[in-house]
Amino acid sequence: MGLFSKKPNYPELASDNPAAEQVHEVEQPLKELMGQVSDPLEVVPADDGAYVFIGKPPKKFGVAKIEDGKVQSFVVAAKEKGLDPLAIQKLNEQFRDAYTHNMDAQRYKTSVAGKEIVVTPSAQLEKEVSRIMNSM
């Protein structure tokens, strides 16, 4: 890593942090998702699973939800609900705004299946992402 590396060096997620248990609960679906994408993952733990930013938010990214041990892509869910591309784009902009509003949230790094992921245990970000997902 160079002096001007853009990759932030987050503190390690401590095993006694409640977010560590939440990540552990969604570890299997996370591993499956890792097998499908090569992009970086950022996990936002939620009471009923987790939200995952895939890629490099707030610029180029996707969003998925892990619930009941299953991963569901936001885009796939939106298309299943019959949303048109313009509606999907507007929701993506809302995800970008939610992420940007929470840029100062504490982030940690941890390893799942030998791959480093970022964990953002932010109740505010989780609430905003949940609201956007549920607005479909």
Side-chain angles (χ1 to χ4, degrees):
M1 280 215 199
L3 181 61
F4 299 106
S5 172
K6 292 214 177 218
K7 187 174 181 183
N9 189 17
Y10 299 120
E12 198 69 39
L13 181 65
S15 59
D16 62 350
N17 186 315
E21 179 58 34
Q22 289 175 296
V23 170
H24 180 71
E25 289 173 10
V26 295
E27 194 168 334
Q28 195 55 44
L30 271 176
K31 287 178 184 176
E32 291 170 21
L33 182 58
M34 289 173 164
Q36 298 168 7
V37 300
S38 60
D39 293 319
L41 301 181
E42 182 169 342
V43 178
V44 180
D47 291 336
D48 57 350
Y51 296 102
V52 184
F53 284 89
I54 305 162
K56 297 180 179 178
K59 293 182 179 155
K60 187 172 170 56
F61 68 96
V63 179
K65 181 178 185 177
I66 297 177
E67 189 175 42
D68 299 326
K70 293 181 179 67
V71 178
Q72 182 168 42
S73 157
F74 157 71
V75 173
V76 170
K79 287 179 179 175
E80 285 176 358
K81 293 191 185 279
L83 295 179
D84 62 47
L86 187 60
I88 293 171
Q89 182 181 347
K90 284 183 179 180
L91 289 169
N92 268 325
E93 288 168 9
Q94 290 178 28
F95 285 126
R96 179 175 287 106
D97 290 345
Y99 190 89
T100 304
H101 295 158
N102 293 280
M103 289 289 280
D104 60 347
Q106 179 64 60
R107 287 171 169 77
Y108 301 92
K109 65 182 177 186
T110 193
S111 184
V112 173
K115 188 173 177 185
E116 188 176 290
I117 64 168
V118 175
V119 180
T120 308
S122 166
Q124 182 62 35
L125 180 56
E126 185 267 334
K127 184 173 138 185
E128 289 183 44
V129 172
S130 177
R131 179 189 54 75
I132 297 163
M133 279 281 201
N134 293 328
S135 74
M136 283 194 287

